[in-house]
Amino acid sequence: MANDKKLIIANWKMNLNMHEASLYLHKLSKLIKTHRNVEVVLAPTTLTLQSLSLQMNLKQFKLAAQNFYWRDFGPYTGEISASQLRGIIQYALVGHSERRHIFNENNKDIRNKVAAAIRNNIRPILCIGETAWEHASGETKDVLHDQLMGGLANITSEELEQVVIAYEPVWAISAGKDSTPINVIPADVEMAVNAVRSQIKHLFGEKAAENIQVLYGGSVTPDSVADYLALPGVNGLLVGGASLNANTFNGIIEKAHKNSTVAKKD
Ligand code: PGA
């Protein structure tokens, strides 16, 4: 695999105000050790992106937007564009299940956002995953296929090199910091990640399928990091609830570092 760096992303969702976000950053930057085999990305609310970008050291962290609108400018009251975020962030989540299900984002919106991120030099993290009902009906592979086709329809193989895929089964996404984690069997994650790579192979060829970074997300805690990162083809984690506490998130980063060091020695 061309890129063996683990990508560990904190998705704070609609949590932490400006002051709390600054305190968190201060605390995490003291705790964190910079590891060459781990890239840490914070996805705070849009409100705090600019101030965090001024406070943080890009060698320690990168920044991601949780959302943006796909047009570059114009009469879109209440929206913010990827071109306005350019230079502030390095990544952006696209098509998170909460955007798909609560805010009715469809494949067309999502593919426009993937393209907008790429044209503004921002790496899109395309989130895909099946609901509980689809999972129970054995439709996981079909859903992943449709979401990948829908999200990546407008891009070239060269542009695909900027894209990260995050597989997040919707039913495994926790309700927040203190909710009980829902453990997804690693074999099921492996099956889904293999399905993602075989679809990428079909659309963009073998090399693209080998090189694309695929993450897992859904109730990740420090205890489950090693199980998921040990799976072949899982290049990182998208962490929600467990990223809201700087100590816990640092624990996840340290486990990711140890896990990829061990994997290299094997
Ligand atoms: P969770 O959220 O870790 O709280 O399950 C993950 C996500 O929604 O990205």
Side-chain angles (χ1 to χ4, degrees), residues 111-250:
R111 86 170 67 108
N112 283 331
K113 288 184 179 197
V114 168
I118 293 171
R119 80 171 169 268
N120 284 292
N121 216 6
I122 294 165
R123 298 190 68 194
I125 301 158
L126 173 63
C127 303
I128 58 174
E130 80 287 3
T131 62
W133 188 87
E134 289 159 344
H135 181 75
S137 328
E139 289 177 18
T140 301
K141 282 189 187 170
D142 293 338
V143 172
L144 298 182
H145 171 269
D146 289 353
Q147 292 179 346
L148 284 170
M149 290 287 281
L152 301 176
N154 284 349
I155 65 163
T156 63
S157 310
E158 211 181 13
E159 290 170 334
L160 184 78
E161 290 170 15
Q162 300 308 313
V163 178
V164 178
I165 306 289
Y167 168 61
E168 297 204 293
V170 179
W171 49 277
I173 292 178
S174 71
K177 185 160 73 156
D178 300 317
S179 61
T180 317
I182 301 148
N183 287 318
V184 178
I185 305 167
D188 284 351
V189 174
E190 189 173 2
M191 186 276 293
V193 167
N194 286 341
V196 168
R197 286 193 197 278
S198 77
Q199 183 60 22
I200 295 289
K201 181 173 166 188
H202 178 70
L203 293 171
F204 296 96
E206 191 152 356
K207 198 157 174 269
E210 258 179 44
N211 289 344
I212 195 157
Q213 287 174 289
V214 183
L215 317 181
Y216 171 71
S219 289
V220 172
T221 64
D223 293 339
S224 58
V225 169
D227 290 346
Y228 296 127
L229 288 186
L231 296 172
V234 173
N235 309 112
L237 302 165
L238 179 51
V239 188
S243 74
L244 289 173
N245 177 300
N247 284 312
T248 312
F249 188 55
N250 186 51

Side-chain angles (χ1 to χ4, degrees), residues 51-65:
S51 70
L52 292 192
S53 80
L54 298 172
Q55 290 169 52
M56 65 199 256
N57 173 352
L58 276 179
K59 287 202 181 111
Q60 283 189 312
F61 314 105
K62 303 281 187 278
L63 269 184

